[in-house]
Short mmCIF file of all heavy atoms in Angstrom, two decimals:
data_model
loop_
_atom_site.label_atom_id
_atom_site.label_comp_id
_atom_site.label_asym_id
_atom_site.label_seq_id
_atom_site.Cartn_x
_atom_site.Cartn_y
_atom_site.Cartn_z
N MET A 1 6.15 -26.14 9.59
CA MET A 1 5.60 -24.80 9.55
C MET A 1 6.53 -23.83 10.27
O MET A 1 6.92 -24.06 11.40
CB MET A 1 4.18 -24.87 10.28
CG MET A 1 3.55 -23.45 10.43
SD MET A 1 1.97 -23.66 11.10
CE MET A 1 1.92 -22.29 12.14
N ALA A 2 6.87 -22.75 9.57
CA ALA A 2 7.67 -21.72 10.16
C ALA A 2 6.86 -20.96 11.26
O ALA A 2 5.67 -20.51 10.96
CB ALA A 2 8.14 -20.76 9.16
N ARG A 3 7.35 -20.78 12.47
CA ARG A 3 6.61 -20.13 13.44
C ARG A 3 6.90 -18.66 13.50
O ARG A 3 8.10 -18.22 13.42
CB ARG A 3 6.86 -20.80 14.80
CG ARG A 3 6.35 -22.13 14.87
CD ARG A 3 6.39 -22.64 16.25
NE ARG A 3 5.75 -24.01 16.27
CZ ARG A 3 6.29 -25.03 16.91
NH1 ARG A 3 7.34 -24.84 17.57
NH2 ARG A 3 5.69 -26.16 16.82
N SER A 4 5.88 -17.82 13.72
CA SER A 4 6.18 -16.44 13.83
C SER A 4 6.63 -16.06 15.33
O SER A 4 6.57 -16.96 16.23
CB SER A 4 4.73 -15.68 13.68
OG SER A 4 3.83 -15.95 14.80
N VAL A 5 7.05 -14.95 15.55
CA VAL A 5 7.48 -14.48 16.87
C VAL A 5 6.42 -14.59 17.83
O VAL A 5 6.61 -15.05 18.99
CB VAL A 5 8.09 -13.03 16.80
CG1 VAL A 5 8.50 -12.53 18.04
CG2 VAL A 5 9.22 -12.96 15.75
N ALA A 6 5.13 -14.21 17.41
CA ALA A 6 4.04 -14.27 18.38
C ALA A 6 3.80 -15.64 18.83
O ALA A 6 3.56 -15.96 20.07
CB ALA A 6 2.82 -13.68 17.67
N VAL A 7 3.80 -16.67 17.90
CA VAL A 7 3.48 -18.03 18.20
C VAL A 7 4.67 -18.49 19.11
O VAL A 7 4.46 -19.26 20.07
CB VAL A 7 3.36 -18.88 16.99
CG1 VAL A 7 3.36 -20.40 17.37
CG2 VAL A 7 2.10 -18.47 16.32
N ALA A 8 5.93 -18.20 18.82
CA ALA A 8 7.10 -18.59 19.57
C ALA A 8 7.04 -18.13 21.04
O ALA A 8 7.19 -18.98 21.93
CB ALA A 8 8.38 -18.22 18.92
N ARG A 9 6.59 -16.96 21.16
CA ARG A 9 6.43 -16.37 22.56
C ARG A 9 5.31 -17.01 23.25
O ARG A 9 5.39 -17.36 24.44
CB ARG A 9 6.19 -14.85 22.46
CG ARG A 9 7.40 -14.07 22.15
CD ARG A 9 6.94 -12.51 22.13
NE ARG A 9 8.16 -11.79 21.65
CZ ARG A 9 8.12 -10.52 21.23
NH1 ARG A 9 6.95 -9.96 21.29
NH2 ARG A 9 9.16 -9.90 20.86
N PHE A 10 4.19 -17.27 22.61
CA PHE A 10 3.02 -17.98 23.24
C PHE A 10 3.41 -19.34 23.67
O PHE A 10 3.19 -19.77 24.71
CB PHE A 10 1.87 -18.09 22.19
CG PHE A 10 0.78 -18.92 22.71
CD1 PHE A 10 -0.13 -18.42 23.69
CD2 PHE A 10 0.62 -20.15 22.29
CE1 PHE A 10 -1.21 -19.28 24.18
CE2 PHE A 10 -0.45 -20.95 22.64
CZ PHE A 10 -1.29 -20.58 23.67
N LEU A 11 4.08 -20.22 22.76
CA LEU A 11 4.51 -21.51 23.24
C LEU A 11 5.53 -21.54 24.28
O LEU A 11 5.58 -22.37 25.07
CB LEU A 11 5.10 -22.24 21.87
CG LEU A 11 4.03 -22.48 20.81
CD1 LEU A 11 4.71 -23.14 19.56
CD2 LEU A 11 2.98 -23.32 21.32
N ALA A 12 6.39 -20.53 24.42
CA ALA A 12 7.39 -20.37 25.42
C ALA A 12 6.75 -20.12 26.84
O ALA A 12 7.27 -20.42 27.90
CB ALA A 12 8.37 -19.27 25.16
N ALA A 13 5.53 -19.48 26.75
CA ALA A 13 4.83 -19.19 28.01
C ALA A 13 3.91 -20.33 28.63
O ALA A 13 3.49 -20.21 29.69
CB ALA A 13 3.96 -17.90 27.69
N VAL A 14 3.62 -21.31 27.81
CA VAL A 14 2.75 -22.43 28.23
C VAL A 14 3.71 -23.62 28.63
O VAL A 14 4.84 -23.73 28.06
CB VAL A 14 1.71 -22.85 27.23
CG1 VAL A 14 0.79 -21.72 26.94
CG2 VAL A 14 2.38 -23.32 25.91
N PRO A 15 3.23 -24.53 29.48
CA PRO A 15 3.99 -25.73 29.75
C PRO A 15 4.38 -26.51 28.55
O PRO A 15 3.58 -26.62 27.53
CB PRO A 15 3.03 -26.54 30.59
CG PRO A 15 2.04 -25.57 31.16
CD PRO A 15 1.93 -24.48 30.09
N PRO A 16 5.58 -27.12 28.56
CA PRO A 16 6.04 -27.76 27.39
C PRO A 16 5.07 -28.87 26.87
O PRO A 16 4.90 -29.08 25.64
CB PRO A 16 7.46 -28.42 27.75
CG PRO A 16 7.86 -27.54 28.96
CD PRO A 16 6.54 -27.00 29.61
N ALA A 17 4.41 -29.66 27.73
CA ALA A 17 3.53 -30.63 27.27
C ALA A 17 2.44 -30.09 26.50
O ALA A 17 1.85 -30.61 25.60
CB ALA A 17 3.10 -31.48 28.51
N VAL A 18 1.91 -28.87 27.00
CA VAL A 18 0.79 -28.23 26.31
C VAL A 18 1.26 -27.72 24.98
O VAL A 18 0.56 -27.82 23.97
CB VAL A 18 0.17 -27.06 27.14
CG1 VAL A 18 -0.91 -26.36 26.40
CG2 VAL A 18 -0.37 -27.68 28.43
N ALA A 19 2.41 -27.08 24.93
CA ALA A 19 2.95 -26.51 23.63
C ALA A 19 3.16 -27.64 22.60
O ALA A 19 2.85 -27.39 21.48
CB ALA A 19 4.25 -25.87 23.98
N ALA A 20 3.51 -28.84 23.00
CA ALA A 20 3.72 -29.96 22.12
C ALA A 20 2.38 -30.53 21.61
O ALA A 20 2.27 -31.21 20.53
CB ALA A 20 4.59 -30.99 22.79
N SER A 21 1.23 -30.22 22.23
CA SER A 21 0.04 -30.80 21.90
C SER A 21 -0.71 -29.97 20.71
O SER A 21 -1.67 -30.50 20.23
CB SER A 21 -0.94 -30.81 23.12
OG SER A 21 -1.34 -29.59 23.41
N PHE A 22 -0.29 -28.79 20.36
CA PHE A 22 -0.88 -28.08 19.40
C PHE A 22 -0.60 -28.60 17.96
O PHE A 22 0.57 -28.90 17.62
CB PHE A 22 -0.48 -26.59 19.36
CG PHE A 22 -1.10 -25.88 20.55
CD1 PHE A 22 -0.28 -25.52 21.59
CD2 PHE A 22 -2.42 -25.59 20.63
CE1 PHE A 22 -0.72 -24.79 22.77
CE2 PHE A 22 -2.92 -24.86 21.69
CZ PHE A 22 -2.14 -24.47 22.76
N ASN A 23 -1.60 -28.74 17.07
CA ASN A 23 -1.25 -29.09 15.67
C ASN A 23 -1.18 -27.84 14.80
O ASN A 23 -1.26 -26.74 15.31
CB ASN A 23 -2.41 -29.97 15.13
CG ASN A 23 -3.80 -29.31 15.12
OD1 ASN A 23 -3.87 -28.08 14.74
ND2 ASN A 23 -4.88 -30.08 15.28
N ASP A 24 -0.84 -28.02 13.52
CA ASP A 24 -0.54 -26.92 12.69
C ASP A 24 -1.73 -25.99 12.46
O ASP A 24 -1.63 -24.76 12.38
CB ASP A 24 -0.06 -27.32 11.25
CG ASP A 24 1.39 -27.87 11.31
OD1 ASP A 24 2.14 -27.65 12.29
OD2 ASP A 24 1.73 -28.56 10.34
N ALA A 25 -2.96 -26.47 12.39
CA ALA A 25 -4.10 -25.59 12.25
C ALA A 25 -4.34 -24.83 13.47
O ALA A 25 -4.73 -23.60 13.39
CB ALA A 25 -5.38 -26.49 12.03
N GLN A 26 -4.10 -25.42 14.68
CA GLN A 26 -4.27 -24.59 15.89
C GLN A 26 -3.17 -23.50 16.06
O GLN A 26 -3.57 -22.32 16.45
CB GLN A 26 -4.23 -25.57 17.08
CG GLN A 26 -5.37 -26.47 17.21
CD GLN A 26 -5.17 -27.59 18.26
OE1 GLN A 26 -4.04 -28.08 18.41
NE2 GLN A 26 -6.23 -27.94 18.87
N LEU A 27 -2.01 -23.81 15.67
CA LEU A 27 -0.84 -22.82 15.63
C LEU A 27 -1.27 -21.68 14.74
O LEU A 27 -1.00 -20.53 14.95
CB LEU A 27 0.45 -23.51 15.46
CG LEU A 27 0.94 -24.44 16.51
CD1 LEU A 27 2.24 -25.11 16.03
CD2 LEU A 27 1.17 -23.67 17.81
N ALA A 28 -1.81 -22.03 13.51
CA ALA A 28 -2.08 -20.97 12.61
C ALA A 28 -3.27 -20.08 13.09
O ALA A 28 -3.17 -18.88 12.90
CB ALA A 28 -2.58 -21.63 11.34
N ALA A 29 -4.25 -20.62 13.77
CA ALA A 29 -5.25 -19.80 14.49
C ALA A 29 -4.73 -18.99 15.55
O ALA A 29 -4.99 -17.79 15.67
CB ALA A 29 -6.32 -20.69 15.04
N ILE A 30 -3.77 -19.45 16.37
CA ILE A 30 -3.18 -18.65 17.44
C ILE A 30 -2.26 -17.53 16.77
O ILE A 30 -2.34 -16.45 17.12
CB ILE A 30 -2.17 -19.58 18.23
CG1 ILE A 30 -3.00 -20.56 19.02
CG2 ILE A 30 -1.21 -18.71 19.18
CD1 ILE A 30 -2.20 -21.62 19.72
N ASP A 31 -1.60 -17.84 15.61
CA ASP A 31 -0.83 -16.83 14.92
C ASP A 31 -1.72 -15.70 14.33
O ASP A 31 -1.45 -14.53 14.51
CB ASP A 31 -0.02 -17.44 13.83
CG ASP A 31 0.92 -16.56 13.20
OD1 ASP A 31 1.52 -15.61 13.93
OD2 ASP A 31 1.22 -16.57 11.98
N LEU A 32 -2.90 -16.09 13.85
CA LEU A 32 -3.77 -15.12 13.34
C LEU A 32 -4.40 -14.25 14.45
O LEU A 32 -4.46 -12.96 14.32
CB LEU A 32 -5.04 -15.84 12.65
CG LEU A 32 -6.16 -14.93 12.07
CD1 LEU A 32 -5.62 -14.11 11.06
CD2 LEU A 32 -7.34 -15.84 11.66
N HIS A 33 -4.63 -14.83 15.62
CA HIS A 33 -5.09 -14.10 16.74
C HIS A 33 -4.15 -13.03 17.19
O HIS A 33 -4.39 -11.82 17.35
CB HIS A 33 -5.53 -14.95 17.88
CG HIS A 33 -5.84 -14.20 19.12
ND1 HIS A 33 -7.02 -13.57 19.31
CD2 HIS A 33 -5.13 -14.06 20.18
CE1 HIS A 33 -6.97 -12.93 20.55
NE2 HIS A 33 -5.87 -13.26 21.16
N PHE A 34 -2.95 -13.44 17.45
CA PHE A 34 -1.95 -12.61 17.95
C PHE A 34 -1.44 -11.64 16.85
O PHE A 34 -0.95 -10.46 17.17
CB PHE A 34 -0.70 -13.27 18.49
CG PHE A 34 -1.05 -13.89 19.83
CD1 PHE A 34 -0.93 -15.28 20.10
CD2 PHE A 34 -1.21 -13.12 20.95
CE1 PHE A 34 -1.12 -15.83 21.34
CE2 PHE A 34 -1.54 -13.57 22.18
CZ PHE A 34 -1.49 -14.95 22.32
N GLY A 35 -1.50 -11.99 15.56
CA GLY A 35 -1.10 -11.07 14.53
C GLY A 35 -2.05 -9.81 14.47
O GLY A 35 -1.63 -8.76 13.97
N MET A 36 -3.23 -10.02 14.87
CA MET A 36 -4.27 -8.89 14.92
C MET A 36 -3.82 -7.81 16.00
O MET A 36 -4.24 -6.72 15.89
CB MET A 36 -5.60 -9.41 15.17
CG MET A 36 -6.14 -10.13 14.00
SD MET A 36 -7.79 -10.65 14.55
CE MET A 36 -8.12 -11.82 13.24
N ARG A 37 -2.87 -8.14 16.82
CA ARG A 37 -2.59 -7.32 17.86
C ARG A 37 -1.40 -6.30 17.64
O ARG A 37 -1.10 -5.40 18.37
CB ARG A 37 -2.25 -8.07 19.22
CG ARG A 37 -3.44 -8.80 19.69
CD ARG A 37 -2.93 -9.63 20.95
NE ARG A 37 -4.19 -10.34 21.46
CZ ARG A 37 -4.78 -10.09 22.60
NH1 ARG A 37 -4.22 -9.22 23.40
NH2 ARG A 37 -5.69 -10.74 23.03
N PHE A 38 -0.73 -6.62 16.48
CA PHE A 38 0.36 -5.80 16.15
C PHE A 38 -0.13 -4.57 15.51
O PHE A 38 -1.13 -4.53 14.82
CB PHE A 38 1.35 -6.54 15.23
CG PHE A 38 2.00 -7.58 15.88
CD1 PHE A 38 1.73 -8.91 15.66
CD2 PHE A 38 3.03 -7.41 16.93
CE1 PHE A 38 2.34 -9.97 16.33
CE2 PHE A 38 3.53 -8.49 17.60
CZ PHE A 38 3.24 -9.71 17.24
N ARG A 39 0.55 -3.44 15.75
CA ARG A 39 0.12 -2.18 15.18
C ARG A 39 0.57 -1.99 13.80
O ARG A 39 1.71 -2.18 13.38
CB ARG A 39 0.76 -0.96 15.93
CG ARG A 39 0.18 -0.80 17.40
CD ARG A 39 0.85 0.41 17.95
NE ARG A 39 0.38 0.52 19.30
CZ ARG A 39 0.68 1.52 20.06
NH1 ARG A 39 1.59 2.44 19.71
NH2 ARG A 39 0.24 1.64 21.26
N ALA A 40 -0.37 -1.55 12.89
CA ALA A 40 -0.05 -1.24 11.67
C ALA A 40 0.40 0.26 11.50
O ALA A 40 0.09 1.00 12.40
CB ALA A 40 -1.34 -1.39 10.75
N ALA A 41 1.04 0.53 10.43
CA ALA A 41 1.61 1.96 10.32
C ALA A 41 0.39 2.86 9.89
O ALA A 41 -0.40 2.55 8.93
CB ALA A 41 2.61 2.01 9.16
N HIS A 42 0.07 3.95 10.55
CA HIS A 42 -0.90 4.87 10.25
C HIS A 42 -0.34 6.21 10.09
O HIS A 42 0.71 6.56 10.79
CB HIS A 42 -1.97 4.90 11.32
CG HIS A 42 -2.76 3.66 11.39
ND1 HIS A 42 -2.46 2.63 12.23
CD2 HIS A 42 -3.85 3.30 10.71
CE1 HIS A 42 -3.29 1.66 12.02
NE2 HIS A 42 -4.24 2.01 11.12
N LEU A 43 -0.90 7.13 9.34
CA LEU A 43 -0.47 8.53 9.23
C LEU A 43 -0.53 9.24 10.56
O LEU A 43 0.39 9.86 11.07
CB LEU A 43 -1.38 9.30 8.28
CG LEU A 43 -1.06 10.80 8.00
CD1 LEU A 43 0.39 10.83 7.39
CD2 LEU A 43 -2.14 11.35 7.10
N ILE A 44 -1.64 8.96 11.28
CA ILE A 44 -1.84 9.44 12.74
C ILE A 44 -2.20 8.31 13.57
O ILE A 44 -3.08 7.64 13.27
CB ILE A 44 -2.92 10.55 12.75
CG1 ILE A 44 -2.46 11.76 11.99
CG2 ILE A 44 -3.12 10.87 14.15
CD1 ILE A 44 -3.69 12.87 11.80
N ASP A 45 -1.41 8.13 14.60
CA ASP A 45 -1.65 6.94 15.50
C ASP A 45 -1.52 7.58 16.95
O ASP A 45 -0.42 7.59 17.54
CB ASP A 45 -0.66 5.85 15.27
CG ASP A 45 -0.93 4.64 16.16
OD1 ASP A 45 -1.65 4.71 17.21
OD2 ASP A 45 -0.36 3.59 15.79
N TRP A 46 -2.67 8.03 17.50
CA TRP A 46 -2.63 8.73 18.79
C TRP A 46 -3.42 7.70 19.78
O TRP A 46 -4.55 7.41 19.60
CB TRP A 46 -3.30 10.03 18.67
CG TRP A 46 -3.41 10.86 19.97
CD1 TRP A 46 -2.43 11.57 20.40
CD2 TRP A 46 -4.40 10.99 20.86
NE1 TRP A 46 -2.86 12.28 21.59
CE2 TRP A 46 -4.04 11.91 21.83
CE3 TRP A 46 -5.68 10.43 20.88
CZ2 TRP A 46 -4.84 12.23 22.91
CZ3 TRP A 46 -6.56 10.79 21.95
CH2 TRP A 46 -6.14 11.68 22.90
N ARG A 47 -2.73 7.32 20.88
CA ARG A 47 -3.34 6.40 21.90
C ARG A 47 -2.94 7.09 23.29
O ARG A 47 -1.83 7.25 23.55
CB ARG A 47 -2.75 5.10 21.77
CG ARG A 47 -3.02 4.43 20.37
CD ARG A 47 -2.15 3.18 20.23
NE ARG A 47 -2.07 2.71 18.86
CZ ARG A 47 -2.72 1.58 18.50
NH1 ARG A 47 -3.30 0.85 19.26
NH2 ARG A 47 -2.74 1.27 17.14
N ARG A 48 -3.98 7.24 24.07
CA ARG A 48 -3.80 7.77 25.42
C ARG A 48 -4.71 7.12 26.43
O ARG A 48 -5.75 6.63 26.07
CB ARG A 48 -4.02 9.29 25.42
CG ARG A 48 -3.14 10.11 24.65
CD ARG A 48 -1.82 10.16 25.15
NE ARG A 48 -0.86 11.08 24.42
CZ ARG A 48 -0.15 10.60 23.36
NH1 ARG A 48 -0.14 9.43 23.02
NH2 ARG A 48 0.59 11.56 22.74
N ARG A 49 -4.15 7.07 27.59
CA ARG A 49 -4.98 6.55 28.79
C ARG A 49 -5.17 7.63 29.72
O ARG A 49 -4.32 8.55 29.91
CB ARG A 49 -4.23 5.32 29.46
CG ARG A 49 -4.13 4.14 28.57
CD ARG A 49 -3.50 3.03 29.30
NE ARG A 49 -2.02 3.41 29.65
CZ ARG A 49 -1.33 2.69 30.39
NH1 ARG A 49 -1.71 1.53 30.84
NH2 ARG A 49 -0.07 3.05 30.60
N PHE A 50 -6.34 7.72 30.34
CA PHE A 50 -6.68 8.72 31.24
C PHE A 50 -7.33 8.10 32.46
O PHE A 50 -7.94 7.14 32.47
CB PHE A 50 -7.74 9.69 30.64
CG PHE A 50 -7.34 10.32 29.28
CD1 PHE A 50 -7.74 9.79 28.22
CD2 PHE A 50 -6.45 11.46 29.38
CE1 PHE A 50 -7.42 10.25 26.92
CE2 PHE A 50 -6.12 11.96 28.12
CZ PHE A 50 -6.54 11.46 26.93
N GLY A 51 -7.19 8.84 33.62
CA GLY A 51 -7.75 8.36 34.87
C GLY A 51 -8.78 9.41 35.43
O GLY A 51 -8.39 10.64 35.42
N PHE A 52 -9.90 9.01 35.69
CA PHE A 52 -11.05 9.86 36.24
C PHE A 52 -11.51 9.22 37.51
O PHE A 52 -12.18 8.29 37.48
CB PHE A 52 -12.17 10.03 35.30
CG PHE A 52 -11.73 10.79 33.97
CD1 PHE A 52 -11.73 9.95 32.79
CD2 PHE A 52 -11.46 12.12 33.95
CE1 PHE A 52 -11.43 10.63 31.62
CE2 PHE A 52 -11.12 12.74 32.76
CZ PHE A 52 -11.02 11.99 31.56
N ALA A 53 -10.95 9.75 38.66
CA ALA A 53 -11.33 9.08 39.96
C ALA A 53 -11.03 7.61 39.90
O ALA A 53 -9.84 7.31 39.81
CB ALA A 53 -12.79 9.48 40.31
N ARG A 54 -12.01 6.85 40.06
CA ARG A 54 -11.72 5.30 40.09
C ARG A 54 -11.73 4.72 38.68
O ARG A 54 -11.46 3.54 38.46
CB ARG A 54 -12.84 4.61 40.83
CG ARG A 54 -12.83 5.00 42.31
CD ARG A 54 -13.85 4.20 43.14
NE ARG A 54 -14.93 3.65 42.27
CZ ARG A 54 -15.98 3.12 42.70
NH1 ARG A 54 -16.26 3.03 43.99
NH2 ARG A 54 -16.93 2.70 41.90
N TRP A 55 -12.14 5.49 37.67
CA TRP A 55 -12.29 5.02 36.32
C TRP A 55 -10.98 5.17 35.48
O TRP A 55 -10.32 6.26 35.61
CB TRP A 55 -13.42 5.68 35.61
CG TRP A 55 -14.68 5.43 36.22
CD1 TRP A 55 -15.26 6.22 37.13
CD2 TRP A 55 -15.64 4.47 35.91
NE1 TRP A 55 -16.55 5.65 37.62
CE2 TRP A 55 -16.72 4.50 36.73
CE3 TRP A 55 -15.59 3.28 35.08
CZ2 TRP A 55 -17.69 3.70 36.76
CZ3 TRP A 55 -16.64 2.46 35.02
CH2 TRP A 55 -17.71 2.59 35.94
N ARG A 56 -10.59 4.27 34.61
CA ARG A 56 -9.55 4.33 33.78
C ARG A 56 -10.07 4.23 32.41
O ARG A 56 -10.92 3.17 32.15
CB ARG A 56 -8.50 3.22 33.98
CG ARG A 56 -7.79 3.30 35.31
CD ARG A 56 -6.73 4.32 35.44
NE ARG A 56 -5.73 4.21 34.40
CZ ARG A 56 -4.81 5.15 34.16
NH1 ARG A 56 -4.79 6.29 34.76
NH2 ARG A 56 -3.94 4.91 33.17
N VAL A 57 -9.79 5.08 31.52
CA VAL A 57 -10.39 5.00 30.15
C VAL A 57 -9.28 5.16 29.16
O VAL A 57 -8.04 5.62 29.52
CB VAL A 57 -11.55 6.08 29.90
CG1 VAL A 57 -12.68 5.85 30.73
CG2 VAL A 57 -10.99 7.58 30.14
N TYR A 58 -9.49 4.90 27.93
CA TYR A 58 -8.46 5.07 26.85
C TYR A 58 -9.12 5.67 25.54
O TYR A 58 -10.35 5.50 25.44
CB TYR A 58 -7.70 3.77 26.50
CG TYR A 58 -8.54 2.71 25.88
CD1 TYR A 58 -8.60 2.60 24.59
CD2 TYR A 58 -9.26 1.83 26.60
CE1 TYR A 58 -9.35 1.57 23.94
CE2 TYR A 58 -9.99 0.86 26.07
CZ TYR A 58 -10.04 0.77 24.65
OH TYR A 58 -10.79 -0.27 24.13
N ALA A 59 -8.32 6.36 24.85
CA ALA A 59 -8.81 6.96 23.60
C ALA A 59 -7.80 6.59 22.47
O ALA A 59 -6.59 6.63 22.77
CB ALA A 59 -8.99 8.48 23.74
N VAL A 60 -8.34 6.31 21.27
CA VAL A 60 -7.43 5.92 20.13
C VAL A 60 -7.99 6.67 18.96
O VAL A 60 -9.17 6.67 18.69
CB VAL A 60 -7.53 4.46 19.97
CG1 VAL A 60 -6.67 4.05 18.66
CG2 VAL A 60 -7.05 3.62 21.09
N VAL A 61 -7.09 7.38 18.30
CA VAL A 61 -7.34 8.04 17.07
C VAL A 61 -6.40 7.44 16.02
O VAL A 61 -5.14 7.60 16.14
CB VAL A 61 -7.29 9.56 17.11
CG1 VAL A 61 -7.53 10.15 15.68
CG2 VAL A 61 -8.18 10.06 18.10
N LEU A 62 -6.95 6.78 14.86
CA LEU A 62 -6.09 6.36 13.90
C LEU A 62 -6.55 6.96 12.55
O LEU A 62 -7.73 6.93 12.21
CB LEU A 62 -6.25 4.77 13.82
CG LEU A 62 -5.80 3.96 14.91
CD1 LEU A 62 -6.21 2.51 14.70
CD2 LEU A 62 -4.31 4.14 15.34
N VAL A 63 -5.57 7.40 11.76
CA VAL A 63 -5.94 8.01 10.46
C VAL A 63 -4.86 7.36 9.48
O VAL A 63 -3.69 7.40 9.65
CB VAL A 63 -5.86 9.41 10.47
CG1 VAL A 63 -6.10 9.98 9.03
CG2 VAL A 63 -6.78 10.02 11.46
N GLY A 64 -5.47 6.85 8.37
CA GLY A 64 -4.69 6.31 7.37
C GLY A 64 -5.44 5.83 6.12
O GLY A 64 -6.66 6.08 6.12
N ARG A 65 -4.76 5.43 5.18
CA ARG A 65 -5.37 5.05 3.85
C ARG A 65 -6.14 3.75 4.06
O ARG A 65 -5.70 2.73 4.63
CB ARG A 65 -4.29 4.84 2.73
CG ARG A 65 -5.00 4.85 1.33
CD ARG A 65 -3.84 4.76 0.44
NE ARG A 65 -3.96 3.48 -0.20
CZ ARG A 65 -3.00 2.72 -0.56
NH1 ARG A 65 -1.75 2.92 -0.36
NH2 ARG A 65 -3.30 1.56 -1.20
N ASP A 66 -7.42 3.74 3.43
CA ASP A 66 -8.15 2.55 3.56
C ASP A 66 -7.66 1.46 2.52
O ASP A 66 -7.79 1.73 1.44
CB ASP A 66 -9.63 2.79 3.33
CG ASP A 66 -10.56 1.59 3.53
OD1 ASP A 66 -10.06 0.53 3.86
OD2 ASP A 66 -11.81 1.65 3.26
N ARG A 67 -7.21 0.34 2.97
CA ARG A 67 -6.66 -0.67 2.04
C ARG A 67 -7.51 -1.91 1.93
O ARG A 67 -7.18 -2.93 1.32
CB ARG A 67 -5.26 -1.09 2.60
CG ARG A 67 -4.22 -0.01 2.66
CD ARG A 67 -2.87 -0.33 3.16
NE ARG A 67 -2.01 0.75 2.93
CZ ARG A 67 -1.05 0.92 3.86
NH1 ARG A 67 -0.78 0.07 4.77
NH2 ARG A 67 -0.33 2.01 3.72
N HIS A 68 -8.74 -1.83 2.40
CA HIS A 68 -9.65 -2.95 2.29
C HIS A 68 -10.33 -2.89 0.91
O HIS A 68 -10.54 -1.82 0.34
CB HIS A 68 -10.81 -2.84 3.35
CG HIS A 68 -10.23 -3.06 4.69
ND1 HIS A 68 -9.91 -2.12 5.54
CD2 HIS A 68 -9.99 -4.24 5.48
CE1 HIS A 68 -9.42 -2.65 6.64
NE2 HIS A 68 -9.53 -3.86 6.61
N ALA A 69 -10.55 -4.08 0.32
CA ALA A 69 -11.29 -4.16 -0.83
C ALA A 69 -12.76 -3.72 -0.76
O ALA A 69 -13.40 -3.84 0.25
CB ALA A 69 -11.32 -5.58 -1.39
N ALA A 70 -13.21 -2.85 -1.73
CA ALA A 70 -14.51 -2.30 -1.62
C ALA A 70 -15.57 -3.28 -1.91
O ALA A 70 -15.52 -4.21 -2.45
CB ALA A 70 -14.62 -1.14 -2.71
#
């Protein structure tokens, strides 16, 4: 199985014995999880963090074409 960059980074961060214990199905699930974290291209992609006293909040505005099946 060809490994994605996300899976390769994950496996490099865990102990070698643990990395060797994953099977193909587990690695595919890990790849799916980390793949969701990559940013897709949007027409507008505005992300900001703000601090209010002790609170930290963030705001995200994404605008783009809906590519999901109806």
Side-chain angles (χ1 to χ4, degrees):
M1 172 177 145
R3 292 197 177 131
S4 69
V5 174
V7 170
R9 286 183 184 164
F10 172 78
L11 293 175
V14 298
V18 174
S21 70
F22 290 106
N23 63 34
D24 286 342
Q26 291 169 325
L27 292 173
I30 291 168
D31 191 33
L32 178 64
H33 171 76
F34 284 116
M36 292 179 192
R37 295 175 179 249
F38 293 109
R39 290 184 181 181
H42 293 93
L43 181 63
I44 297 173
D45 187 342
W46 183 82
R47 300 165 192 251
R48 295 292 183 267
R49 291 183 297 175
F50 305 97
F52 298 108
R54 297 182 336 190
W55 297 90
R56 297 286 299 167
V57 297
Y58 66 92
V60 177
V61 177
L62 301 174
V63 177
R65 196 176 115 224
D66 185 4
R67 295 183 180 147
H68 292 93

